[in-house]
DNA sequence: CTGAAAGCGCTTACAG
DNA sequence: CTGAAAGCGCTTACAG
């Protein structure tokens, strides 16, 4: 039924070894022979069996994309760009969802789910503990971490601390003095987590300007969704009605904050200002002021680093992209007293 | 280095055939023998080579997810749920991006990219022309279409015409008489495309109520993003400043419409009302009135249909989910004249 | 530049 | 219930 390499070999009058080499563009095949093989392959409509060639060569030509939740914009956008970069290079993208809830009973990464299936992995925004790192190591393929940084691995991301500081400075410049923060879950084991570093950026900037940065201004959520941002904002404003501005660690949380503020009968950008971090595609119609990160570029860059590693360049690399303030309508000066 | 089935066979004192059967839970293995094999496998940390077993069995245990653009919420949300459903059943998810721009030079689906790599495919919101259908057929695996309907294949989606009609009736009930429409690209070759059917739902509802439904009220875009919705709304309102309500074929377009209306100094839900279709997660903080579809359920349902097909149940199935109106703040009565 | 042959690590009739 | 052996369809030293 399906045509095999042997059929091509027979038709072109050479051995299967030569067909294999010719079709893959390996050196050491005569120009004339190569031509013949191509014609035969085309005439028969030959497509090599990927699983047979994987078994023989030990390479799968696919990359694992480990991430917490595709339905969130940041992840899906990185994935989309990574996938296209991989496909252009002839690699398939295998997505693997691993919830990023940090509870004690959380699901951990298991190498066996991916062993023998991928030539490299991208890990998005997931912190791996010692156990998971061991699993990753036993997978035996290069890994690049996006957004989160992991000791000993390549990394692409932004300077999260600076991003938060940038947002915070913008608010301070406008005159805000009581600035709340909506943060993601932090974990002592992972001081490099973006959520941790954004929180640090907020805190240190307030300190530098001699402004209050007590814990009562910080409200943490488990996962950084709009609805969690909404709930967190209500808790924050219940406790600290004197807050005049909120820095949310993600745009989706910021949008939830905006909703909460409006529902309380307050004006956004007037009574309470809101700034996010991300540069979400829907931030524009939303009117959301934010510190944007180049998300698509991170997807492409991460894929390129992974591709290089697959091709033998195992040097540990770090790619950090700059962020930029986008002013829209959710931030204004603090209300006059 | 890696442990093979032979190592397990040797340690447990049986043949590789028996190990293979025992580990996969096939019948015809003695309880005692099975136990021995499990222990040996565990002791050695054995994980079967997926590519070897694929080559031998002809099954890959992975499913292709063909879709236009993961960075858009609808697709990524369907994918996320499908992926989890597949993984729970022991299948990997291979994503494959295929832009849904319908230009003459568009990239077409090629079977060879996926042949031998998947046991089934999900196709999201992509219309396949005759050529692509032939490619899909030559792939030789079952396919289920989500959102778009394809002759001869299983399908999961909503009643797009009814969804648009539902939105339209809501506007009419409030007293709107001049209702614009933001539609996706339509294609004569594909009368079952959601965009086409939503447009039909809009048009027929207006006709039923004896309201204007001329082409000058309909503005089409290539892909249904917020920024295209924004541009389309400006074109529509330039041409027809008398429009008091807009039905957008997607929530993202609706958000763009809201932005455009505000920028023109008009009030949303006052001067011009906007209703979307989708039930986007961010519609809530946005305050967007919409006709929601159960997106996650569609992802799960599509995956289940595909899984059944892989397991031999090739009957063509159709799963249609109901939609529901969600009233928020972007729709109000038309302005008093 | 080219070929014969072993090998990748499983699964599956087939025979017992 | 179990095993010997062929077979899945390639790739890759090795030899020439």
């Amino acid at each position: 039924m399906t045509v095999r390499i042997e059929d091509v070999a027979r038709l072109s009058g050479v051995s299967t070894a030569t067909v294999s080499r010719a079709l893959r563009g390996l050196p050491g095949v005569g120009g004339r022979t190569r031509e013949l093989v191509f014609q035969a392959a085309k005439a028969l409509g030959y497509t090599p069996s990927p699983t047979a060639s994987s078994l023989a060569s030990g390479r799968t030509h696919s990359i694992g994309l480990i991430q917490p939740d595709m339905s969130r914009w940041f992840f899906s956008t990185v994935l989309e760009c990574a996938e296209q970069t991989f496909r252009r290079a002839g690699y398939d993208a295998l997505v693997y969802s691993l919830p990023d809830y940090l509870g004690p009973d959380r699901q951990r990464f298991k190498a066996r789910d991916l062993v023998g299936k991928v030539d490299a992995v991208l890990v998005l925004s997931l912190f791996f503990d010692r156990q998971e790192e061991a699993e990753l190591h036993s997978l035996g393929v290069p890994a690049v971490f996006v957004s989160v940084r992991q000791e000993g691995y390549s990394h692409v991301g932004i300077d999260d601390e600076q991003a938060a500081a940038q947002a915070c400075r913008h608010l301070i410049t406008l005159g805000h003095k009581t600035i709340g923060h909506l943060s993601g879950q932090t974990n002592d084991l992972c001081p490099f987590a973006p959520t941790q570093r954004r929180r640090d950026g907020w805190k240190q900037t307030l300190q530098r300007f001699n402004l209050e940065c007590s814990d009562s201004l910080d409200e943490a959520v488990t996962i950084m969704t709009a609805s969690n941002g909404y709930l967190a904002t209500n808790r924050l404003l219940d406790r600290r009605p004197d807050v005049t501005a909120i820095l949310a660690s993600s745009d989706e949380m910021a949008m939830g904050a905006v909703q909460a503020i409006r529902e309380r009968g307050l004006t956004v950008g007037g009574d309470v200002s809101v700034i996010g971090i991300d540069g979400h595609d829907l931030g524009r119609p939303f009117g959301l002021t934010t510190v944007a990160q180049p998300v698509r570029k991170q997807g492409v860059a991460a894929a390129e680093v992974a591709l290089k590693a697959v091709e033998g360049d195992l040097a540990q690399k770090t790619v950090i992209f700059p962020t930029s303030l986008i002013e829209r309508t959710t931030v204004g000066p603090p209300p006059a007293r």
Side-chain angles (χ1 to χ4, degrees), chain A:
Chain A
M1 183 188 137
T2 71
V3 17
R4 298 148 306 149
I5 197 171
E6 209 190 306
D7 302 315
V8 180
R10 200 174 306 129
L11 181 60
S12 45
V14 298
S15 70
T16 60
T18 298
V19 173
S20 176
R21 286 187 282 246
L23 257 26
R24 285 180 300 148
L26 295 188
V29 180
R32 172 109 194 80
T33 310
R34 195 180 295 267
E35 196 58 36
L36 242 47
V37 170
F38 269 98
Q39 278 174 18
K42 187 165 187 188
L44 296 173
Y46 172 65
T47 306
S49 155
T51 114
S53 82
S54 290
L55 181 58
S57 72
R59 301 188 53 182
T60 63
H61 275 269
S62 79
I63 312 282
L65 268 34
I66 307 174
Q67 51 81 43
D69 179 359
M70 275 186 276
S71 75
R72 280 183 269 159
W73 175 82
F74 176 80
F75 303 126
S76 65
T77 302
V78 170
L79 291 181
E80 174 68 25
C81 295
E83 191 272 343
Q84 293 192 2
T85 306
F86 286 133
R87 186 156 308 282
R88 239 169 260 132
Y91 285 78
D92 294 314
L94 194 62
V95 283
Y96 186 95
S97 292
L98 198 66
D100 59 349
Y101 167 67
L102 287 183
D105 55 339
R106 65 185 255 263
Q107 183 191 336
R108 282 192 168 72
F109 172 67
K110 294 285 174 211
R112 47 178 311 148
D113 290 338
L114 247 31
V115 69
K117 294 177 181 171
V118 294
D119 294 336
V121 295
L122 251 50
V123 183
L124 304 202
S125 203
L126 245 16
F127 169 67
F128 277 13
D129 62 21
R130 225 157 310 269
Q131 180 184 333
E132 286 171 303
E133 221 259 83
E135 290 281 328
L136 180 59
H137 183 82
S138 79
L139 230 195
V141 300
V144 3
F145 282 75
V146 182
S147 199
V148 71
R149 188 181 308 243
Q150 186 94 8
E151 186 80 36
Y153 290 91
S154 285
H155 167 251
V156 356
I158 59 170
D159 185 329
D160 291 285
E161 194 173 316
Q162 272 312 308
Q166 194 174 1
C168 213
R169 280 196 306 268
H170 180 58
L171 298 172
I172 294 171
T173 301
L174 287 170
H176 290 278
K177 307 216 180 298
T178 312
I179 301 174
H181 184 240
L182 266 33
S183 53
Q185 57 192 342
T186 53
N187 186 322
D188 292 340
L189 293 174
C190 186
F192 297 139
T195 69
Q196 189 83 267
R197 302 204 68 232
R198 291 179 188 183
R199 193 159 161 277
D200 291 345
W202 162 77
K203 199 156 197 165
Q204 286 171 17
T205 306
L206 293 179
Q207 282 171 340
R208 190 157 306 140
F209 285 86
N210 276 312
L211 296 173
E212 179 191 351
C213 61
S214 69
D215 282 350
S216 81
L217 286 172
D218 184 38
E219 188 65 44
V221 304
T222 49
I223 55 175
M224 303 201 287
T225 58
S227 61
N228 280 340
Y230 170 82
L231 297 171
T233 300
N234 276 326
R235 291 195 300 269
L236 176 63
L237 292 180
D238 282 346
R239 190 171 62 227
R240 295 292 305 257
D242 57 325
V243 158
T244 66
I246 294 177
L247 163 54
S249 255
S250 85
D251 278 356
E252 297 185 14
M253 277 207 289
M255 295 187 203
V258 165
Q259 180 196 354
I261 292 163
R262 289 199 179 122
E263 284 184 11
R264 294 169 88 95
L266 301 171
T267 61
V268 172
D271 295 320
V272 184
S273 288
V274 175
I275 189 167
I277 297 180
D278 268 351
H280 195 295
D281 283 343
L282 296 177
R284 189 141 82 112
F286 203 95
L288 185 68
T289 294
T290 190
V291 170
Q293 57 175 320
V295 180
R296 292 166 218 269
K297 283 182 187 169
Q298 290 179 69
V300 172
E304 286 170 347
V305 172
L307 250 13
K308 287 231 177 70
V310 167
E311 275 141 26
D313 176 6
L314 294 166
Q316 184 180 331
K317 305 201 174 74
T318 300
V319 185
I320 302 296
F321 287 95
T323 54
S324 59
L325 176 68
I326 299 181
E327 296 186 55
R328 287 192 280 239
T329 65
T330 56
V331 169
R337 282 257 160 183

mmCIF file of all heavy atoms in Angstrom, chain A residues 100-117:
data_model
loop_
_atom_site.group_PDB
_atom_site.id
_atom_site.type_symbol
_atom_site.label_atom_id
_atom_site.label_comp_id
_atom_site.label_asym_id
_atom_site.label_seq_id
_atom_site.Cartn_x
_atom_site.Cartn_y
_atom_site.Cartn_z
ATOM 1 N N ASP A 100 0.240 24.956 36.375
ATOM 2 C CA ASP A 100 1.282 25.643 37.139
ATOM 3 C C ASP A 100 0.834 26.005 38.551
ATOM 4 O O ASP A 100 1.426 26.861 39.188
ATOM 5 C CB ASP A 100 1.776 26.886 36.408
ATOM 6 C CG ASP A 100 0.663 27.883 36.137
ATOM 7 O OD1 ASP A 100 -0.517 27.515 36.328
ATOM 8 O OD2 ASP A 100 0.964 28.998 35.727
ATOM 9 N N TYR A 101 -0.200 25.336 38.999
ATOM 10 C CA TYR A 101 -0.606 25.555 40.380
ATOM 11 C C TYR A 101 0.452 24.947 41.279
ATOM 12 O O TYR A 101 0.880 23.807 41.097
ATOM 13 C CB TYR A 101 -1.973 24.913 40.629
ATOM 14 C CG TYR A 101 -2.323 24.819 42.074
ATOM 15 C CD1 TYR A 101 -2.547 25.985 42.816
ATOM 16 C CD2 TYR A 101 -2.398 23.595 42.720
ATOM 17 C CE1 TYR A 101 -2.854 25.912 44.157
ATOM 18 C CE2 TYR A 101 -2.707 23.512 44.060
ATOM 19 C CZ TYR A 101 -2.932 24.673 44.773
ATOM 20 O OH TYR A 101 -3.234 24.600 46.097
ATOM 21 N N LEU A 102 0.903 25.703 42.268
ATOM 22 C CA LEU A 102 2.014 25.230 43.097
ATOM 23 C C LEU A 102 1.594 24.552 44.398
ATOM 24 O O LEU A 102 2.298 24.618 45.391
ATOM 25 C CB LEU A 102 2.949 26.397 43.433
ATOM 26 C CG LEU A 102 3.848 26.933 42.321
ATOM 27 C CD1 LEU A 102 4.762 28.020 42.842
ATOM 28 C CD2 LEU A 102 4.667 25.799 41.730
ATOM 29 N N GLY A 103 0.452 23.924 44.419
ATOM 30 C CA GLY A 103 0.015 23.253 45.641
ATOM 31 C C GLY A 103 0.882 22.041 45.939
ATOM 32 O O GLY A 103 1.683 21.621 45.107
ATOM 33 N N PRO A 104 0.697 21.471 47.110
ATOM 34 C CA PRO A 104 1.507 20.323 47.531
ATOM 35 C C PRO A 104 1.200 19.084 46.672
ATOM 36 O O PRO A 104 2.063 18.243 46.448
ATOM 37 C CB PRO A 104 1.080 20.091 48.976
ATOM 38 C CG PRO A 104 -0.238 20.762 49.125
ATOM 39 C CD PRO A 104 -0.300 21.861 48.121
ATOM 40 N N ASP A 105 -0.005 19.017 46.180
ATOM 41 C CA ASP A 105 -0.447 17.839 45.435
ATOM 42 C C ASP A 105 -0.368 18.067 43.930
ATOM 43 O O ASP A 105 -1.018 17.408 43.144
ATOM 44 C CB ASP A 105 -1.903 17.553 45.791
ATOM 45 C CG ASP A 105 -2.767 18.781 45.537
ATOM 46 O OD1 ASP A 105 -2.204 19.908 45.493
ATOM 47 O OD2 ASP A 105 -3.993 18.628 45.370
ATOM 48 N N ARG A 106 0.427 19.046 43.561
ATOM 49 C CA ARG A 106 0.479 19.360 42.143
ATOM 50 C C ARG A 106 1.039 18.218 41.301
ATOM 51 O O ARG A 106 1.802 17.379 41.765
ATOM 52 C CB ARG A 106 1.330 20.601 41.924
ATOM 53 C CG ARG A 106 2.788 20.409 42.280
ATOM 54 C CD ARG A 106 3.482 21.742 42.144
ATOM 55 N NE ARG A 106 4.287 21.792 40.942
ATOM 56 C CZ ARG A 106 5.588 21.563 40.929
ATOM 57 N NH1 ARG A 106 6.199 21.271 42.059
ATOM 58 N NH2 ARG A 106 6.253 21.640 39.818
ATOM 59 N N GLN A 107 0.646 18.257 40.045
ATOM 60 C CA GLN A 107 1.116 17.263 39.094
ATOM 61 C C GLN A 107 2.538 17.632 38.683
ATOM 62 O O GLN A 107 2.810 18.770 38.358
ATOM 63 C CB GLN A 107 0.186 17.298 37.893
ATOM 64 C CG GLN A 107 0.485 16.272 36.835
ATOM 65 C CD GLN A 107 -0.309 16.568 35.568
ATOM 66 O OE1 GLN A 107 -1.352 17.224 35.619
ATOM 67 N NE2 GLN A 107 0.173 16.107 34.430
ATOM 68 N N ARG A 108 3.423 16.687 38.734
ATOM 69 C CA ARG A 108 4.823 16.979 38.399
ATOM 70 C C ARG A 108 5.197 16.472 37.018
ATOM 71 O O ARG A 108 4.595 15.537 36.508
ATOM 72 C CB ARG A 108 5.743 16.357 39.444
ATOM 73 C CG ARG A 108 5.800 17.154 40.712
ATOM 74 C CD ARG A 108 6.923 16.683 41.615
ATOM 75 N NE ARG A 108 7.145 17.625 42.690
ATOM 76 C CZ ARG A 108 6.339 17.805 43.717
ATOM 77 N NH1 ARG A 108 5.223 17.094 43.791
ATOM 78 N NH2 ARG A 108 6.627 18.687 44.650
ATOM 79 N N PHE A 109 6.205 17.080 36.476
ATOM 80 C CA PHE A 109 6.707 16.650 35.174
ATOM 81 C C PHE A 109 7.328 15.259 35.265
ATOM 82 O O PHE A 109 8.139 14.996 36.136
ATOM 83 C CB PHE A 109 7.737 17.655 34.659
ATOM 84 C CG PHE A 109 8.424 17.181 33.419
ATOM 85 C CD1 PHE A 109 7.718 17.051 32.233
ATOM 86 C CD2 PHE A 109 9.772 16.856 33.426
ATOM 87 C CE1 PHE A 109 8.336 16.600 31.082
ATOM 88 C CE2 PHE A 109 10.404 16.406 32.281
ATOM 89 C CZ PHE A 109 9.687 16.278 31.110
ATOM 90 N N LYS A 110 6.915 14.389 34.351
ATOM 91 C CA LYS A 110 7.471 13.043 34.302
ATOM 92 C C LYS A 110 8.184 12.832 32.969
ATOM 93 O O LYS A 110 7.571 12.988 31.922
ATOM 94 C CB LYS A 110 6.344 11.996 34.408
ATOM 95 C CG LYS A 110 5.627 11.992 35.743
ATOM 96 C CD LYS A 110 6.480 11.360 36.815
ATOM 97 C CE LYS A 110 5.836 11.477 38.189
ATOM 98 N NZ LYS A 110 6.844 11.572 39.261
ATOM 99 N N ALA A 111 9.420 12.483 33.025
ATOM 100 C CA ALA A 111 10.179 12.283 31.792
ATOM 101 C C ALA A 111 9.551 11.210 30.919
ATOM 102 O O ALA A 111 9.549 11.306 29.696
ATOM 103 C CB ALA A 111 11.617 11.924 32.114
ATOM 104 N N ARG A 112 8.976 10.206 31.541
ATOM 105 C CA ARG A 112 8.516 9.092 30.721
ATOM 106 C C ARG A 112 7.410 9.469 29.735
ATOM 107 O O ARG A 112 7.198 8.790 28.737
ATOM 108 C CB ARG A 112 8.113 7.880 31.551
ATOM 109 C CG ARG A 112 7.222 8.123 32.750
ATOM 110 C CD ARG A 112 6.907 6.790 33.412
ATOM 111 N NE ARG A 112 6.447 5.798 32.441
ATOM 112 C CZ ARG A 112 6.649 4.495 32.491
ATOM 113 N NH1 ARG A 112 7.324 4.003 33.491
ATOM 114 N NH2 ARG A 112 6.174 3.688 31.569
ATOM 115 N N ASP A 113 6.717 10.548 30.014
ATOM 116 C CA ASP A 113 5.701 10.983 29.056
ATOM 117 C C ASP A 113 6.314 11.453 27.742
ATOM 118 O O ASP A 113 5.635 11.534 26.718
ATOM 119 C CB ASP A 113 4.879 12.132 29.645
ATOM 120 C CG ASP A 113 3.991 11.660 30.776
ATOM 121 O OD1 ASP A 113 3.698 10.454 30.834
ATOM 122 O OD2 ASP A 113 3.598 12.509 31.603
ATOM 123 N N LEU A 114 7.589 11.829 27.811
ATOM 124 C CA LEU A 114 8.198 12.454 26.635
ATOM 125 C C LEU A 114 9.417 11.698 26.127
ATOM 126 O O LEU A 114 9.929 11.986 25.050
ATOM 127 C CB LEU A 114 8.611 13.884 27.008
ATOM 128 C CG LEU A 114 7.892 15.063 26.354
ATOM 129 C CD1 LEU A 114 6.453 14.728 26.034
ATOM 130 C CD2 LEU A 114 7.965 16.288 27.249
ATOM 131 N N VAL A 115 9.868 10.725 26.893
ATOM 132 C CA VAL A 115 11.125 10.078 26.527
ATOM 133 C C VAL A 115 11.014 9.377 25.173
ATOM 134 O O VAL A 115 10.042 8.683 24.890
ATOM 135 C CB VAL A 115 11.586 9.102 27.643
ATOM 136 C CG1 VAL A 115 10.673 7.906 27.739
ATOM 137 C CG2 VAL A 115 13.012 8.659 27.422
ATOM 138 N N GLY A 116 11.999 9.627 24.345
ATOM 139 C CA GLY A 116 11.988 9.034 23.014
ATOM 140 C C GLY A 116 11.063 9.711 22.036
ATOM 141 O O GLY A 116 10.907 9.257 20.912
ATOM 142 N N LYS A 117 10.447 10.807 22.459
ATOM 143 C CA LYS A 117 9.484 11.465 21.569
ATOM 144 C C LYS A 117 9.963 12.810 21.060
ATOM 145 O O LYS A 117 9.393 13.361 20.130
ATOM 146 C CB LYS A 117 8.161 11.685 22.307
ATOM 147 C CG LYS A 117 7.443 10.403 22.659
ATOM 148 C CD LYS A 117 6.187 10.701 23.447
ATOM 149 C CE LYS A 117 5.467 9.418 23.820
ATOM 150 N NZ LYS A 117 4.357 9.692 24.765
#
